[in-house]
Amino acid sequence: MPDSQRQPPPPPAQDALVLCGARLTDGRTVDVRLGGHRIEAVGTAGTLARGPARAGAARVDLRGYLLLPAPAEPHAHGDTCLTAEPAGPPSAAPEEVRRRVTEATLLQLGHGATAVRAQVRVGDVQGLGALEGVLQARRSLRGLAELTVVAVPGLLTGVAGAEGLAMLRDAVKMGADVVGGCPDLDPDPLGYAEAVLEVAAEQGCPVDLHTDAADSARLSRLAAMAGGLRPGVALGPCAALALLPAETAHRVADRLAAAGIAVVCLPQGGCAGTERRGTAPVRLLRAAGVRVAAGSGALRDLANPVGRGDPLEAAYLLASVHGMRPADAYDTVSAAARAVLGLPEVRVEAGFPAELLAVRGEELAGALSLAYSRIVVHRGRVVARTSAVREYGTSGAEAELGLPRQGRKRLS
């Protein structure tokens, strides 16, 4: 039976939803009314919550929460996610891939990512089986999260590359949204990149390439080849850029910026398809005008058995380890990540898409540090909740110092 027949239809959009008493990053406390997948109105706290907003309207109390544009995940690995523990190579059977991708995407949705770009290998032993599984998961998740798919072929040059090129075109016909690949693993990296760009131009697809970016001359040449391609080119994780001499790194960053190429870094660890761990020089790239997004990379596979797939952890690491301001760090997992995915901008203002994340806390730095409780809104409705309650044993210090408690329960 086709997957579309097994899966329930997406839930209907709610007539209206009012988010009450949320705090914004500018310090205001507001009510936010959602309807038709968009933000309808933003008003002072209490103004939109009074009386029935409209028939069938629901309310969510967000007092004590910081309301943010929802993050997006620009670099996940759909075919290998959640495969670290089982012995032997991961199964590429469509049903098994569908199960893993669905579980992984829901995990990331719980963290706040309402859109995920999944890399999937095509060709070689797995053929198009893994891609079929991810496409099934995309249908299953409709209405909960947006899942886009990157087809990642093996060799594309020489005699062996003819089959990979045909497989890549077949993958786009099947439903892959983005053309990708790992040019560093091909005997002719620039030839590989040229082949990917050719297919992308034919099909009108974005491009998303894995590269360590260790060869500055090759990266500059790639930027010249890809410059101006629409709907856009992303490279990642580019960890070796941080190892280049400063003058060389600045020169490469300027060329990437001039070509309009985005960089997707992976602060939480490496991923399959690249050899180096580490993070691209995000501050240098941003200063040059390069759009920099941050992704999670491996989610509990052999490349990173403890990968969490949490966008807020990526932002936390950029702020804590790489010295970015919290607002800039969050931008890499929200506005910049959505732009890389070709999604419309989100602001907590009327008229913008209702893609939102509420995190318990009063300001962004604290939210990135201790983002335990979260409420996720996709297309104007609550699609995920995570609630954390901290409890302590009783002591004299509690009454003496007036220490705060999240919950009313006491440990015995």
Side-chain angles (χ1 to χ4, degrees), residues 19 149 345:
L19 308 177
V149 184
E345 181 184 10

Side-chain angles (χ1 to χ4, degrees), residues 208-226:
D208 192 329
L209 293 174
H210 286 64
T211 179
D212 285 326
D215 187 328
S216 61
R218 182 193 301 166
L219 194 60
S220 295
R221 177 65 182 138
L222 196 158
M225 292 164 53

Side-chain angles (χ1 to χ4, degrees), residues 329-392:
Y330 189 74
D331 179 83
T332 66
V333 300
S334 56
R338 287 184 62 86
V340 167
L341 270 58
L343 298 172
E345 181 184 10
V346 173
R347 298 181 191 171
V348 188
E349 298 177 15
F352 285 87
E355 303 289 323
L356 302 167
L357 170 64
V359 183
R360 185 170 288 282
E362 295 186 354
E363 40 84 33
L364 187 56
L368 295 184
S369 176
L370 295 169
Y372 296 137
S373 296
R374 309 182 192 188
I375 298 174
V376 186
V377 174
H378 173 54
R379 292 189 175 182
R381 72 185 192 98
V382 174
V383 292
R385 291 176 184 259
T386 301
S387 180
V389 176
R390 181 179 289 120
E391 300 176 358
Y392 301 97

Side-chain angles (χ1 to χ4, degrees), residues 113-138:
T114 61
V116 176
R117 176 180 279 189
Q119 312 273 337
V120 184
R121 292 170 298 176
V122 298
D124 300 327
V125 177
Q126 68 269 17
L128 294 172
L131 175 63
E132 181 182 345
V134 177
L135 293 175
Q136 290 175 4
R138 181 170 69 183

Side-chain angles (χ1 to χ4, degrees), residues 77 108 184 191 204 248 250 315 320 399:
H77 281 259
Q108 293 175 295
D184 296 356
T248 303
H250 280 286
S320 177

